[in-house]
Amino acid sequence: MSMHITNPRIYTVPSDSDSESDYEDYKIYTPKTRFLSQQQESQLIKLGCVYNPVEEYKRSHLYKNPKVYDQQFASKMQQHQLKLKNEIDQMLAQKRQRQQEELNKMKAMLSAMTVLSSKDDQDDDKAFEEELKKQRALIDDAIALDKKKSENATAEAEAKAKAKAEKEKKEQEEKEKKEQQAKELKEKKAQQLEMQKIAQSSAVSPQGLEEYKKYFEKIEFYKANIRPKLQNDVFRKQCFQAKLVIKRTVSQLQADHKVVAEKFNTLNNHLLGIKQQSPEAFEYMLNQLAKFLLAQAKQEIHATAFAAYFLARFAYLMFSSIPEFLPYLMGRLMKRCPYLIPQYHDDDPSLSHDEIKSRLRYAIKNKEKKTLETFLEHAEGQKCYVMFYGALCQTLPDSGQPENPFPIKHAWIWLARICNMPPREITPILVNGLLEVSAIRLLQAYPNQTAKLFRLIRETICPLYPISSGQENVAGIKRLEMFLDDYFRTGQPECVPEKLPPSV
């Protein structure tokens, strides 16, 4: 085994030789770990440089005879362990004996106590059970009484709460009833004031306004119930595909009655098929048909006046077969042409000139500059709608076709309403438009009244028509006067022919 030197400061013995420097002779030397022999270790121990008792013991005993040492040590250790075990076993046996003796004493004492107190315990148990029964009976009676009181209190509280709730409900109902009555009375008064205002106003026909509101309820129904469904991609795609058929059919209408009947049958079957698949899509198609038909009317009648006849015939066939189409068509028509109510919107002093034009449906010519169409452009466009309206009223069914649900009396009513109102600059242009397409049927339906009305218009109303600032309505006034003069001269009004004359 290696021996480490514990005192590294070992000084070398100075030599007898002369040296220039004593530092080299007396310098401290720190040796590395070395392995020493037994003799060297003994000398170092004597010098006091190392000391290790274990190594000393091994050197003096183990190194001399290690085998003998191991056997003696193991034998002594075994004897010691055996002795120690015997002592522990004796101590445990003595402890268990003492515990058993104490347990026996306690059992004897418990047995003696049980014999002495068994009789007293039986009596005590019986008395305790009887007392327990009495206490339980008292407790049950108290619980039952409390339960009954609680039930009675709950029932009484519920009855009071119910009576209070009924009273509050009755009071609330009476309050709501009074509020509703007050609200209805207020609305009725407001409506009466509005009706009085309308009746006194010279800018709107009260009866025409009520008729328009009735038609427009269908448009409001569409806005509230059908339009939101277009957010659904499937529904919108279905409507888009079906809408193309309507637009194509309307654009293909011609003056020939056979073509009109053919296109009607095609579109009628198309719409009825959609109605079976989806009532919502059917309502959407009726609204789109009204829009397409009115757009086509404004465009074609402005170009060729006789287009009013075949477009009106197609519309008559459609709402004869599908009654739900009529309110869509008339609601949209009167919205685009408020003069069909008639309503001029010039009775409200709070409205500006531009706001009045907006309500009269002046179209925007330039969106960037926000310029509106001129008076004459507006009048010609509105005249197209009036001509379509007059053509619709005067349409007679062909053989085998149903009766017209919107007959000539509506043209007479409109003519009477607008003649009973103070004339405006646009009025002669609109009146002339209606007479150009429906004067013949008016004379056939009401020969005496129509002739008198024509005389009234020519002699009394025409001189009252105001001239516009740019004199744009002068030609319209002259055309109306010439139309009536020709009728009085010939006895036959010269209406727009239903077809163009054949080219020579």
Side-chain angles (χ1 to χ4, degrees):
M1 182 175 179
S2 63
M3 181 67 66
H4 295 280
I5 298 174
T6 60
N7 187 3
R9 295 181 177 275
I10 302 174
Y11 295 90
T12 57
V13 179
S15 61
D16 295 335
S17 62
D18 295 334
S19 175
E20 295 179 357
S21 177
D22 294 337
Y23 173 75
E24 294 294 333
D25 296 332
Y26 293 94
K27 68 179 180 179
I28 298 174
Y29 174 71
T30 305
K32 297 181 180 179
T33 302
R34 294 179 57 188
F35 294 97
L36 306 176
S37 63
Q38 186 176 358
Q39 184 178 2
Q40 290 173 337
E41 289 179 3
S42 300
Q43 292 177 356
L44 289 174
I45 290 171
K46 291 179 180 180
L47 292 173
C49 296
V50 296
Y51 178 73
N52 192 327
V54 176
E55 296 299 328
E56 178 67 19
Y57 175 78
K58 288 181 180 180
R59 187 171 51 252
S60 59
H61 298 84
L62 184 59
Y63 291 163
K64 293 179 180 180
N65 194 354
K67 291 183 179 182
V68 173
Y69 169 77
D70 290 342
Q71 291 177 357
Q72 291 177 355
F73 180 80
S75 175
K76 290 180 180 181
M77 183 61 69
Q78 187 175 7
Q79 291 176 1
H80 176 72
Q81 289 178 352
L82 182 61
K83 183 179 179 182
L84 182 62
K85 183 181 179 181
N86 292 334
E87 291 177 354
I88 292 171
D89 291 341
Q90 290 177 2
M91 291 174 64
L92 291 174
Q94 293 174 359
K95 186 176 181 180
R96 282 195 294 271
Q97 186 178 0
R98 287 195 301 271
Q99 289 177 349
Q100 186 64 37
E101 290 176 355
E102 291 176 357
L103 180 61
N104 292 335
K105 290 180 180 179
M106 291 178 67
K107 285 182 178 180
M109 291 175 64
L110 183 60
S111 176
M113 292 174 64
T114 301
V115 172
L116 293 175
S117 62
S118 60
K119 185 175 181 180
D120 293 337
D121 290 343
Q122 291 177 357
D123 295 339
D124 291 342
D125 290 343
K126 186 175 181 180
F128 178 76
E129 289 178 358
E130 291 178 355
E131 185 65 23
L132 186 61
K133 287 180 180 180
K134 292 180 180 179
Q135 295 296 329
R136 285 178 178 174
L138 293 174
I139 293 172
D140 292 339
D141 292 342
I143 292 173
L145 181 61
D146 290 341
K147 186 177 180 181
K148 187 176 181 180
K149 288 182 179 179
S150 177
E151 291 176 352
N152 293 337
T154 303
E156 186 177 356
E158 289 178 354
K160 289 182 179 179
K162 186 177 180 180
K164 184 178 180 181
E166 290 178 354
K167 184 178 179 181
E168 291 177 353
K169 183 179 179 182
K170 188 176 180 180
E171 291 176 352
Q172 183 67 21
E173 289 177 352
E174 291 178 355
K175 182 179 178 182
E176 290 177 355
K177 186 177 180 180
K178 289 180 180 179
E179 289 178 353
Q180 183 66 22
Q181 291 176 350
K183 184 178 179 182
E184 290 176 356
L185 182 61
K186 186 177 180 181
E187 290 177 354
K188 188 176 180 180
K189 288 182 179 179
Q191 189 175 6
Q192 289 176 352
L193 291 173
E194 184 179 359
M195 293 302 296
Q196 290 176 2
K197 183 180 178 181
I198 291 173
Q200 294 172 0
S201 173
S202 60
V204 63
S205 168
Q207 296 83 5
L209 188 60
E210 287 299 318
E211 184 179 350
Y212 167 64
K213 289 179 179 179
K214 182 180 178 182
Y215 288 133
F216 201 73
E217 286 178 358
K218 195 68 173 178
I219 309 299
E220 291 176 340
F221 164 80
Y222 169 82
K223 291 180 179 179
N225 299 282
I226 307 302
R227 183 185 289 176
K229 294 184 180 295
L230 292 174
Q231 301 297 327
N232 184 285
D233 293 338
V234 177
F235 180 78
R236 185 173 63 254
K237 185 177 180 181
Q238 177 188 5
C239 293
F240 178 78
Q241 296 296 333
K243 179 174 68 174
L244 297 178
V245 177
I246 297 175
K247 189 173 184 179
R248 182 173 62 251
T249 303
V250 172
S251 65
Q252 293 173 350
L253 293 173
Q254 299 177 13
D256 190 344
H257 286 203
K258 291 183 179 179
V259 175
V260 173
E262 179 185 346
K263 297 303 177 184
F264 157 71
N265 290 327
T266 300
L267 190 56
N268 185 58
N269 294 333
H270 178 65
L271 292 176
L272 293 179
I274 292 174
K275 185 177 183 180
Q276 293 179 353
Q277 296 177 1
S278 172
E280 293 83 3
F282 174 71
E283 296 287 340
Y284 174 82
M285 294 304 145
L286 295 182
N287 181 66
Q288 291 299 312
L289 175 58
K291 286 185 174 182
F292 289 146
L293 194 57
L294 293 176
Q296 192 78 5
K298 185 176 181 180
Q299 179 181 352
E300 293 206 25
I301 296 172
H302 187 269
T304 53
F306 72 89
Y309 294 112
F310 66 81
L311 291 173
R313 180 169 293 277
F314 178 79
Y316 134 73
L317 290 173
M318 288 306 306
F319 59 66
S320 296
S321 175
I322 304 175
E324 299 95 329
F325 175 58
L326 180 60
Y328 275 112
L329 179 64
M330 299 311 299
R332 291 289 179 190
L333 179 59
M334 290 184 175
K335 181 182 178 181
R336 294 188 180 206
C337 181
Y339 305 106
L340 286 172
I341 295 176
Q343 186 174 19
Y344 293 102
H345 292 288
D346 56 1
D347 59 336
D348 190 350
S350 64
L351 297 177
S352 66
H353 190 62
D354 289 340
E355 288 174 334
I356 293 175
K357 283 188 173 183
S358 177
R359 295 192 179 191
L360 291 174
R361 308 295 291 182
Y362 271 74
I364 299 175
K365 288 180 63 176
N366 192 322
K367 293 183 178 180
E368 295 180 357
K369 296 182 180 180
K370 296 182 180 180
T371 56
L372 300 176
E373 59 185 354
T374 63
F375 167 80
L376 189 58
E377 290 171 338
H378 171 71
E380 290 298 327
Q382 295 297 302
K383 179 184 175 181
C384 294
Y385 291 129
V386 174
M387 292 180 71
F388 175 75
Y389 182 86
L392 187 63
C393 298
Q394 66 86 44
T395 300
L396 293 174
D398 291 336
S399 178
Q401 293 180 343
E403 185 179 355
N404 187 353
F406 203 77
I408 192 64
K409 72 173 185 178
H410 292 280
W412 172 265
I413 292 171
W414 178 81
L415 200 58
R417 286 172 180 170
I418 201 166
C419 289
N420 284 327
M421 298 173 66
R424 267 70 170 185
E425 297 169 354
I426 197 173
T427 308
I429 300 173
L430 303 178
V431 172
N432 185 58
L434 182 83
L435 295 181
E436 283 182 346
V437 295
S438 62
I440 295 175
R441 284 286 297 124
L442 283 169
L443 288 166
Q444 292 175 354
Y446 316 103
N448 297 326
Q449 294 91 333
T450 303
K452 292 179 181 179
L453 180 60
F454 286 177
R455 180 68 65 180
L456 176 68
I457 294 172
R458 178 64 185 90
E459 296 179 356
T460 305
I461 299 177
C462 282
L464 299 177
Y465 287 132
I467 306 300
S468 61
S469 58
Q471 297 187 351
E472 298 165 304
N473 66 336
V474 172
I477 296 173
K478 293 298 181 183
R479 279 194 294 269
L480 177 59
E481 291 176 347
M482 290 173 60
F483 179 89
L484 294 173
D485 289 342
D486 290 342
Y487 163 71
F488 292 129
R489 186 180 69 255
T490 62
Q492 187 69 25
E494 188 177 351
C495 292
V496 175
E498 193 169 344
K499 294 183 180 180
L500 289 175
S503 58
V504 180

